[in-house]
Amino acid sequence: MERHAHTSQIVARNAGCTSSPIIVGVAGLEAVLEVREARSVSDCLPTRWQPAAAVVCRPAPGAREARSVSACLPERLQPAAAVVCRPHPAFTLVELLVVIAIIGMLVGLLLPAVQQAREAARVMQCNNHLKQMGLAALNHESSTRKLPSGGWSPYWDGDPDMGLGPGQAGSWGYSLLPFMEQNALFQLGADGKVEKSTEQCTGAEERGKTPLGFFYCPSRRATKLYPILKESQYCANNTYTPGGEYAKADYSANAGSNIFVNQEYNPTSISAGLTFNWATNDHAKNANGTIFKHSGITIGEIRDGTTNTYLIGEKGLEPGHYEADANSVTTNDNIFIYRGADTDNHVTCCSTTLPMQDRAGYAHYHAFGSPHAGATGVAMCDGSVQRISYNIDATTHANLGNRKDGNVVKLPD
């Protein structure tokens, strides 16, 4: 039988060839073959070694199967060494379980790191929100010579025709809108007069239904509408439905180191508000912070220095109230962002209202706090943002909340 350059098939039966690499040696030459699926003996040989005619490989008499490729070749084509097709090794069940266990351990180590990285990103985003509000408040002061007012009471909504300053019935959040590229939202309901009108009511309703991302802490809840508890009474507010969904906020202004004596809901009319004697109002006359009911604080009145005085910070909130329905929300988060002065949008900085991380089942109201671990964010009156530890000294905290106590204070590291 002569050998040609072209391939001829050698039919191998029961040869046991598999897809493993095989070693072939002929006349002292060796070659390594990679065969995916050996269907015949010729699949185990290179082209140059293919026989000219088909050679049928049958097991020797008395043998069950051919033990090697060389047993299937004629004498003149016998290789120098035996050509053996070895089976491909497979994973055992134990090896597979070990691999799965290792992967599980790696995932368990990786997930906490990913969660920490995401939380760090959310803290940075929250600080950015505070930075925007701090700069907006300073721009408000540059335009009006006063920091934004806290408004009148929670029964009053903002009215663009009231302008900016102590005469504005709406909240500090409402007064910041023109300085945060939201002037169109601020102007909704403008009709040229402060008296209640249908146009004013319609505009206030639309504004109340417009949530803004910079008023929400990304670690606490999404930017969307949430239920409120009470119906507002005056101005445009009395068109709102109790239990309806409106825009809220996760930030509060610094009203000072004095505890709220009581929450007064006066004045009860536009005419009364324009002539109201605010010096008799407990909240307004006792507050020593930077933004509070009917406030109009100038930079010059912050005698302790803008670097050492709180302006706006994250407010404490019980986790069960993040997305609670109206009937379960009783304090600290039952009105929307544009209403006037209330414990929802103002905090006190005394020894009994220290900053605290949000904790399930613990109603931490009227104080700074956040869902973040270790510290809460606060914008200072110079526009900077500081992380205030939950372990801050009570005296230091009160001094930072009081704009005019004259005490030397240093922000904790």
Side-chain angles (χ1 to χ4, degrees), residues 32-331:
V32 179
L33 308 179
E34 179 71 31
V35 182
R36 288 183 174 271
E37 182 181 1
R39 293 187 295 270
S40 66
V41 175
S42 62
D43 291 337
C44 299
L45 297 175
T47 302
R48 60 182 298 181
W49 295 340
Q50 297 289 336
V55 178
V56 178
C57 179
R58 296 182 177 86
R64 289 190 176 184
E65 60 181 9
R67 293 184 298 276
S68 66
V69 176
S70 61
C72 300
L73 299 176
E75 183 177 353
R76 63 181 297 181
L77 295 178
Q78 287 291 333
V83 180
V84 180
C85 293
R86 297 179 178 86
H88 181 71
F91 276 109
T92 67
L93 178 60
V94 173
E95 291 172 331
L96 181 61
L97 292 176
V98 169
V99 171
I100 293 175
I102 293 174
I103 294 175
M105 292 176 61
L106 292 176
V107 171
L109 293 173
L110 183 62
L111 283 179
V114 172
Q115 291 173 348
Q116 289 179 1
R118 288 179 175 176
E119 174 59 16
R122 289 191 289 264
V123 170
M124 292 180 62
Q125 185 178 356
C126 196
N127 285 350
N128 183 55
H129 293 171
L130 288 166
K131 184 71 173 181
Q132 292 182 62
M133 287 183 277
L135 293 178
L138 292 178
N139 287 334
H140 182 287
E141 195 276 338
S142 296
S143 298
T144 66
R145 302 305 177 191
K146 298 179 185 296
L147 291 173
S149 174
W152 290 3
S153 82
Y155 284 172
W156 290 91
D157 190 14
D159 181 358
D161 295 312
M162 289 183 171
L164 299 171
Q168 176 56 249
S171 71
W172 58 267
Y174 174 72
S175 294
L176 290 185
L177 291 178
F179 305 96
M180 302 186 77
E181 300 184 346
Q182 296 293 333
N183 189 58
L185 198 62
F186 177 86
Q187 293 294 338
L188 287 176
D191 58 0
K193 55 183 181 296
V194 296
E195 290 78 12
K196 179 181 174 181
S197 67
T198 301
E199 185 176 357
Q200 185 188 102
C201 293
T202 302
E205 175 78 6
E206 182 179 351
R207 182 169 51 249
K209 294 283 189 179
T210 306
L212 298 175
F214 50 74
F215 283 140
Y216 291 89
C217 171
S219 292
R220 178 175 285 167
R221 50 190 174 185
T223 302
K224 64 178 186 178
L225 302 179
Y226 294 90
I228 63 172
L229 178 62
K230 298 178 180 178
E231 179 183 13
S232 299
Q233 302 295 319
Y234 313 115
C235 198
N237 299 332
N238 59 3
T239 63
Y240 297 157
T241 304
E245 293 188 341
Y246 296 91
K248 289 189 175 182
D250 291 321
Y251 305 95
S252 286
N254 167 36
S257 59
N258 291 329
I259 299 177
F260 291 111
V261 176
N262 59 60
Q263 182 62 58
E264 299 177 0
Y265 297 106
N266 50 20
T268 58
S269 67
I270 291 289
S271 57
L274 297 177
T275 60
F276 188 74
N277 182 11
W278 293 97
T280 63
N281 182 271
D282 288 335
H283 185 180
K285 70 180 181 181
N286 290 314
N288 54 23
T290 52
I291 299 176
F292 47 90
K293 179 178 287 190
H294 198 259
S295 65
I297 301 301
T298 65
I299 292 295
E301 291 179 278
I302 305 175
R303 299 173 188 172
D304 291 349
T306 56
T307 304
N308 302 319
T309 307
Y310 294 144
L311 181 61
I312 299 169
E314 299 178 79
K315 72 177 183 181
L317 189 61
E318 200 271 313
H321 290 171
Y322 287 176
E323 300 194 35
D325 59 72
N327 292 327
S328 64
V329 180
T330 56
T331 58

